Amino acid sequence: MSKQANGKLVYRFGDGKADGEAGMRNLLGGKGANLAEMANLGLPVPPGFTITTEVCTGYYKNGRTYPQSLSADVDAALAEVGRIVGSSFGDAENPLLVSVRSGARASMPGMMDTVLNLGLNDATVEGLAKRAKDRRFAYDSYRRFIHMYSDVVLGIEHHQFEDILGEYKDEKALGLDTALTAEDWLKVIARYKACVEKATGKPFPLDVKEQLWGAIGAVFQSWMSARAKTYRRLHNIPEDWGTAVTVQAMVFGNLGDTSATGVAFTRNPSTGAHELYGEFLVHAQGEDVVAGIRTPQSITEAARIESGSKTPSLEKLMPETFAELTQTFARLEKHYRDMQDMEFTIQSGKLWMLQTRSGKRTAKAALKIAVDLSKEGLISKEEAVKRIDPGSLDQLLHPTLDPHAKREIIGQGLPASPGAASGEIVFDSDEAEKPEDIHGMHAAEGILTTRGGMTSHAAVVARGMGKPCVSGAGNIRVDYRQATLSAMGSVLKKGDIVTIDGSTGQVMKGAVPTIKPELSGDFAIIMEWADAARRMKVRANAETPLDARTAREFGAEGIGLCRTEHMFFEADRIVAMREMILASSEKGRRAALAKILPMQRNDFIELFEIMAGLPVTIRLLDPPLHEFLPHGEAEIAEVAMALAVSPESLRARVAELHEFNPMLGHRGVRLAVSYPEIAEMQARAIFEAAAEVGRKTGTPPIPEVMIPLVATKSEFDIVRERIVAIADEVQQETQAKLDYLVGTMIELPRAALRAGDIAQTAEFFSFGTNDLTQTTFGISRDDSARFLGEYTAKGVIKTDPFVSLDIEGVGELVEIAASRGKATRPQIKLGICGEHGGDPASIRFCERVGLDYVSCSPFRVPIARLAAAQAALSDDG
């Protein structure tokens, strides 16, 4: 039962105690829970109270109305705050002023900004002036309040107030805000009020209760702002979490030279170094530090010296307060067992803590902080592993742009594959639609497309190769005839240099320097701890020696998918492949395949040697044959001449093999049933390579031969029989003992449902979730970008099913197939080899259903290793 169900809507904190604590962030939001915790720790926290997230949820459920008792609860809490600080809300002689802040359980941009100095009006401002013995300070606070409240609560653009102030300073020839007197601020305030009345048709609210409830309502309404909704959608934050509202007594950092305000981290958020990192301003309020109007000062003397600043550090300026601050920071970090991001105010020499939370950090800093905290005994190795966001490792696995380098941005697309690269522009419209494009992509430094989404074929292939890719850069115009690229007034031609950043989607003119990734130190330590914690193996999808070596460097424990068709597109093989397709008899096809056999054998020898005894799953030829043939007229003529056939006969064969829906056409196991000689040649190449490597190294590899696109046991058995026969032949010919497995890729719903039958003869299942998602949803991955964005925006689906596995539908098919397969063959080996094999959420699901391994692109292997460890360590793993 929630606290609200017990009737508690408002939680108080301050004076060394609190109703709430850190574990109540779901009810109090992160801000409210941490303020309560700091109060319970006896730290100097200005008193206040938090209205719960459940009030927000109820506000929307009940037609934007509040519970009946809320008003009385808020009044009582305000009175208690006043009692602690010795003032009263709305009292003209001794006014209590408050700040109002939003605070969801997850830190969320797009929510309402803070309102400071609430409770000021024409009467209370005089009381503040008398109490502070400083009229200028009081009226400066009042004008700040009107500006902030009008912007945040009343929705008046803040630049209107900036313009009024700028005009006034110009009229009076005043430079800095500090040059304005109380009388100046009075005149500016009059202009501010006139601006508000003109914009809203009503005077600025002077009733302090109206001000307070206006601010509370604005917080709740900001939960449903367009920005907040977008952020929630992108980060999978449920709408029904709601936000809390925290109301807190004001403390002032702008009460003269013994007052200040600042922001600090207990460790460096960029590097993770164990050093106090932060900034402060003397005689300022909180927003001044982040507004960029004045240059903040360094907190520590070491940071001041390093920056070359001449303005004194807090350590030098207020040594006693600095000492108290460092003790408080150390205590908070030890208490929360994590690097803290804190806001503080010093009022007339007294320290006040306004906020603490786990600090945001770069991936590099996250690794260092996790390792250091573990070595310092604050957290265990397992907790250190759980602290790292697996997806953030992408920042570390690819070259990144030098953050200090100048960049001239000419376009913006979708960040489809991380990393950065510079290179010459190459246009090739004839080749763009051809499967050989895959080799253009291998040769390229990076890939830029003007159409397509983040799950398009180009994006998927780029990620698999570890190449940076920016897709859907719609503002860039490509003219293939003229071989030009136009964007933002620049026209670039073939050979000109561009730089792409696949992590941000930016396209830049010219070469921008990059920084190479470093995979040692803290990264290696976290990976070692992750490997000790995980159950599932992690393999890589790889078919080239470069991919295989990269995968091993990143810690892959085998190859989970070797796509053999990629090997056929090499220049010396494509000719023989086309000969085979054009042959009119089996004899002719076998003659052409005999030319490819030694090349395939050498491919497999190299892969087996690199993987050194680790499992290698080799998928037999999958795509339809027409993908290997030319399409444009010029290309047909060129290929016909090379093959010594007439263009007419080649054109006729292309037309004969044309399919209306190739993805569901004559491919995979269907090809092997129609042309068993193709599967036989591939099987012979695999087994001869295994025998050769076993003889050379003394460690024979264990190839796993995978038959793709199986729907029935009978078609699997037809092809399996031929593979086993070839294995027997090779064993006789070489006198080598071969260990191997024959299994299938589960990528059709029927195969998942009939997995129990198929497992009678299949020794392993590898779930091809890219195609299984396509066939389950009836959606083409390459066309889905046109509408899936709209589907997620409208809440039809939560996430793109090609990015993260659809656990309810596709996941259920995987679960059914795994369960039925194990029932038939308890020791069946189960893995996943689609794009989802590198997605942390999908990996959690794989752990839950008991798969033996995941396989992903080489550059995602460390991400998968970490995610698999976290899945094994989680309660629901």
Side-chain angles (χ1 to χ4, degrees), residues 241-256:
W241 277 9
T243 182
V245 182
T246 293
V247 178
Q248 192 174 16
M250 279 297 302
V251 286
F252 297 95
N254 57 338
L255 260 178

Side-chain angles (χ1 to χ4, degrees), residues 574-584 588-589 591-592 595 643:
I574 192 78
V575 175
M577 191 66 187
R578 286 165 170 167
E579 278 179 31
M580 189 274 294
I581 296 167
L582 294 172
S584 55
R589 286 193 294 274
K595 295 178 185 177
L643 294 174

